[in-house]
Amino acid sequence: MGRVDGVRIGDVGGVEYLVPPAPGSTSSLNQWLATRESGSFGFMVRRFVIKPGGIIEMHRHRFYGFIYVMKGTCTICGRDGRAELGPGGFALVEANVDHGFLNLGEGDVEAICVNNYVDDMEVMAAGSGCADELRSHRERDRE
């Protein structure tokens, strides 16, 4: 990451892809763009990509999340339902809320997620709601 007069500058092309921290996730990758390690102390920013048929499995954490979809359409799953987010769509996920994402489309989903820092940044598994949704979708396609 470069720096110009107190401004840190980077390019996603130079940021390593990592597996999402939500247990059970498949065909999805994270790029951590701004973290404490890179000098961002109040919040972290990541870019995530969900491949077709991919899941960021149901999970929860003690921090808030703001998700902004740049490309593709994903389904956000909650305990009480689901909603679709397409390009320009966004969601604010409150702390301690079970949620997950899946890509039922043909192309990649690309999104930015901004989280605040709290003392406990653990990500905990929260069931299989998104995986169940994906299995149901696949079964309907086979019929």
Side-chain angles (χ1 to χ4, degrees):
M1 188 173 279
R3 190 178 180 114
V4 176
D5 296 327
V7 177
R8 289 178 174 82
I9 298 172
D11 185 299
V12 295
V15 179
E16 179 182 15
Y17 281 100
L18 301 170
V19 175
S25 298
T26 61
S27 299
S28 54
L29 299 167
N30 276 338
Q31 288 179 297
W32 298 96
L33 305 179
T35 63
R36 285 181 176 148
E37 292 76 21
S38 67
S40 177
F41 294 102
F43 59 91
M44 62 181 161
V45 179
R46 65 186 164 93
R47 174 179 175 260
F48 65 83
V49 176
I50 308 172
K51 299 290 186 183
I55 302 171
I56 297 178
E57 190 49 273
M58 294 288 283
H59 63 284
R60 71 178 159 281
H61 36 69
R62 292 179 177 89
F63 47 88
Y64 282 79
F66 177 82
I67 295 94
Y68 176 78
V69 177
M70 299 179 300
K71 177 182 171 188
T73 299
C74 68
T75 301
I76 182 168
C77 305
R79 283 183 298 191
D80 298 330
R82 65 188 180 109
E84 288 195 359
L85 293 174
F90 61 89
L92 177 61
V93 179
E94 296 178 8
N96 299 309
V97 170
D98 295 355
H99 64 287
F101 303 89
L102 62 110
N103 180 353
L104 300 176
E106 306 261 332
D108 290 356
V109 169
E110 295 181 21
I112 295 291
C113 181
V114 179
N115 303 110
N116 64 305
Y117 276 114
V118 296
D119 289 337
D120 182 357
M121 296 299 291
E122 181 182 7
V123 175
M124 297 155 281
S128 60
C130 273
D132 291 343
E133 178 75 23
L134 182 60
R135 276 191 290 278
S136 174
H137 179 77
R138 287 179 177 160
E139 287 170 11
R140 282 192 306 268
D141 283 352
R142 280 186 234 147
E143 294 174 351

